[in-house]
Amino acid sequence: MSPDLLPALRPLIAATRSPLSEYSLANLLLFRERHAYRFHETPIPHVRGITYDGEHHALPLAPLDAAACALLLGEADCIGPLGDEAPGLADAFGLRCDWRDADSDYVYDTDRMAVLAGAKAKRAQARAFEREQRPQARRLDASTVTLAEAVLEGWRGDVGRSDDDTDCHECREALRLRDVLGLEGLVVTISGDPVAFLLSGPAADGSRIVHFAKGRRAFSAAYPWMFARHAAAIGRGRINFEQDLGRPGFAQAKRAFAPVARLRKYRLRAK
């Protein structure tokens, strides 16, 4: 998987119309090493990789039929992730279908996120942050990318972990390739000093995916304020904050923003 493949992948991903976060140029390219992603054109266009829980999977980028499923499952443990169409495909092709709660994406209405509706504690944090810190939201572009990079390095120091134990490497590349990948975002500053930033990109179904959100530990209330500002800028629609990876802290944080849906990610496998 390399940037050279983006022109070929772009229309294939768009044609899936999938709301799942894996169906995005950013996730397939930026996490290519972590998941050992490789693009294949036969038997149908698909990406092979390794899931977080260690399964070899085939992510289809074209409609599936029984013959394609048989060939893909000859090379992989499962086919997926797939959306709500998966149980019907399993019945039609004589396959098993399962899913893991840790993989499910958290989805929010932008109108509700913009005012932090249903998230009373987060709304209070954001209001206090605005009142006490007088933050500014600046568009993440060529003139502010160095501010985002400074936040990332500060965040890395705050968490005290190596690049291998974080997504710092992928985030640095996202900042560098943001225009190529269609990523947009904002940087939060206080008196000119950067304290947080986020990057989001398009999903195949037209919604937005928040790929990265980083903030300095001393300004944790910047997160709800930043999410609300970004949602307001997006306008009407939905925003995907991806999965929680089975980590209780991630799950608690994502639930605190009152998601309107959890998107199951199904896997097809031989019986």
Side-chain angles (χ1 to χ4, degrees):
M1 188 74 68
S2 72
D4 294 341
L5 287 171
L6 294 182
L9 288 172
R10 196 182 306 273
L12 291 172
I13 292 172
T16 69
R17 301 298 299 164
S18 174
L20 303 181
S21 57
E22 282 80 2
Y23 288 82
S24 73
L25 286 175
N27 276 340
L28 289 177
L29 180 69
L30 297 172
F31 292 88
R32 62 192 181 278
E33 298 300 330
R34 197 171 294 265
H35 292 290
Y37 284 142
R38 298 293 184 269
F39 175 65
H40 300 267
E41 295 184 343
T42 58
I44 62 171
H46 68 283
V47 173
R48 292 183 201 165
I50 302 173
T51 64
Y52 280 114
D53 59 321
E55 287 204 305
H56 291 262
H57 72 111
L59 185 152
L61 298 176
L64 290 163
D65 57 28
C69 287
L71 291 170
L72 291 175
L73 289 174
E75 301 290 338
D77 298 319
C78 61
I79 299 171
L82 295 169
D84 291 340
E85 74 279 11
L89 293 175
D91 289 341
F93 302 147
L95 301 173
R96 289 192 294 124
C97 180
D98 55 48
W99 60 282
R100 298 172 66 247
D101 190 58
D103 294 336
S104 300
D105 286 337
Y106 290 75
V107 178
Y108 308 79
D109 280 336
T110 53
D111 287 349
R112 291 176 56 80
M113 179 65 77
V115 294
L116 298 171
K120 183 177 179 180
K122 297 299 182 182
R123 187 166 62 250
Q125 289 178 3
R127 288 174 176 172
F129 179 70
E130 182 165 34
R131 182 176 64 252
E132 296 167 7
Q133 303 294 343
R134 303 299 185 198
Q136 289 187 318
R138 301 177 61 181
R139 181 182 177 186
L140 207 168
D141 56 24
S143 67
T144 58
V145 68
T146 56
L147 300 178
E149 291 168 345
V151 171
L152 179 60
E153 296 311 311
W155 176 87
R156 181 178 178 274
D158 289 342
V159 299
R161 300 202 302 270
S162 68
D163 282 6
D164 290 340
D165 291 331
T166 67
D167 58 0
C168 281
H169 173 74
E170 292 86 354
C171 190
R172 290 190 195 99
E173 189 173 30
L175 289 169
R176 181 170 58 85
L177 298 178
R178 64 192 182 281
D179 292 335
V180 174
L181 296 172
L183 302 180
E184 299 176 351
L186 57 84
V187 180
V188 180
T189 61
I190 297 173
S191 300
D193 295 327
V195 300
F197 77 92
L198 68 74
L199 274 174
S200 75
D205 70 338
S207 60
R208 299 291 296 183
I209 304 169
V210 173
H211 295 292
F212 302 97
K214 306 295 184 187
R216 299 304 307 272
R217 180 169 290 171
F219 299 97
S220 59
Y223 284 104
W225 188 86
M226 178 172 62
F227 294 156
R229 285 300 182 100
H230 187 59
I234 291 172
R236 186 176 297 275
R238 287 198 163 183
I239 189 166
N240 185 328
F241 275 52
E242 303 188 324
Q243 66 269 41
D244 61 38
L245 303 176
R247 299 178 183 176
F250 281 5
Q252 181 179 4
K254 292 173 189 284
R255 288 196 299 266
F257 286 96
V260 296
R262 296 281 308 282
L263 302 181
R264 289 182 179 178
K265 298 176 182 178
Y266 293 95
R267 303 177 187 182
L268 299 180
R269 60 182 81 244
K271 285 187 175 179

